[in-house]
Amino acid sequence: MYINSLHFTNGDYTYTLHDDWTSEDNHYSKGLHVTNNKTGKTASLDAKGKIIGSLFPFANTSVVRESDEL
């Protein structure tokens, strides 16, 4: 199992890309969540069709850190 996410904030919105896999059923889940930080409302989009790419190469690296400022 791996669960990876990359999130950033721009203005009043937080964007979260997620890339998950579970070995139990060999299920992949990828998509985008957008949260309005003022209202707390969230919209989600799940990736469909052929999925190319992964967030896995960023796991456990210093390439992207939560504390990085834009």
Side-chain angles (χ1 to χ4, degrees), residues 32-49:
L32 170 69
H33 301 287
V34 180
T35 302
N36 181 319
N37 298 322
K38 286 186 175 182
T39 66
K41 291 184 179 181
T42 299
S44 298
L45 298 168
D46 292 325
K48 304 284 186 202

Side-chain angles (χ1 to χ4, degrees), residues 47-58:
K48 304 284 186 202
K50 184 176 181 180
I51 299 170
I52 300 172
S54 174
L55 293 175
F56 187 74
F58 294 105

Side-chain angles (χ1 to χ4, degrees), residues 11 13 26 28 42 59 63 69:
Y13 295 89
N26 197 34
Y28 288 90
T42 299
V63 174
E69 297 289 328

Side-chain angles (χ1 to χ4, degrees), residues 1-5 18-22 56 59:
M1 168 186 274
Y2 73 79
I3 299 172
N4 293 298
S5 64
H18 72 91
D19 177 5
D20 310 327
W21 173 74
T22 56
F56 187 74

